[in-house]
Amino acid sequence: QLLASVVSKERPDLETLKLDLTKQQNEFKITLKKLEDSLLARLSAAEGNFLGDYALVENLETNKRTAIEIEEKVQQAKVTEVKINEIRELYRPAAARASLLYFILNDLNKINPMYQFSLKAFRVV
């Protein structure tokens, strides 16, 4: 959690890009699922010779093209995600120090119960 906080504070563009990539990956999965469901519905409704049903053949071609485009975009997104993660790892030592400070502050309540901090309060500090 603190790694994401540190990166969003230091490089908000990087964290935004990572969130957008995650959202895009989810949209790709949804699109592929819809295409698959549509194709299965048409195949189950088709009767007789499949090759004679031009709408079905066109749908198959459209689904194939869309799936290839999505696969290319997924590959690009994976490369981008690797680059983002490499850059994020540069901030891991700062996040580790922040984590250590948080747990030290969190243990202060053993000295006096007045010293209780939530992660949200710690992020303000």
Side-chain angles (χ1 to χ4, degrees):
Q1 278 182 327
L2 286 175
L3 178 61
S5 296
V6 170
V7 173
S8 67
K9 201 65 140 170
E10 293 293 319
R11 295 279 308 268
D13 59 320
L14 199 65
E15 197 62 26
T16 303
L17 184 60
K18 182 161 178 65
L19 291 174
D20 289 343
L21 276 176
T22 303
K23 183 179 176 185
Q24 188 179 44
Q25 294 286 9
N26 291 337
E27 288 173 359
F28 289 155
K29 289 178 185 176
I30 291 169
T31 303
L32 286 174
K33 179 69 174 151
K34 286 180 182 177
L35 289 174
E36 182 182 315
D37 290 345
S38 168
L39 179 61
L40 289 174
R42 284 185 176 258
L43 284 173
S44 66
E47 295 177 7
N49 187 2
F50 287 81
L51 298 175
D53 188 356
Y54 293 112
L56 179 62
V57 173
E58 287 178 15
N59 189 10
L60 282 169
E61 288 297 322
T62 303
N63 287 357
K64 182 180 175 184
R65 279 193 303 269
T66 306
I68 289 171
E69 290 172 8
I70 287 175
E71 184 61 32
E72 289 172 358
K73 290 178 182 179
V74 165
Q75 293 303 324
Q76 292 172 354
K78 285 182 180 179
V79 170
T80 306
E81 188 174 9
V82 167
K83 290 178 183 177
I84 289 172
N85 287 337
E86 287 174 357
I87 295 171
R88 285 184 77 190
E89 285 302 313
L90 297 174
Y91 293 97
R92 189 165 295 280
R97 286 189 205 108
S99 176
L100 181 64
L101 285 173
Y102 170 73
F103 286 112
I104 289 171
L105 284 175
N106 200 33
D107 283 345
L108 283 177
N109 72 349
K110 293 177 183 173
I111 297 171
N112 189 334
M114 179 184 80
Y115 298 112
Q116 290 185 354
F117 295 94
S118 67
L119 182 58
K120 185 176 180 181
F122 173 75
R123 289 172 71 181
V124 172
V125 174

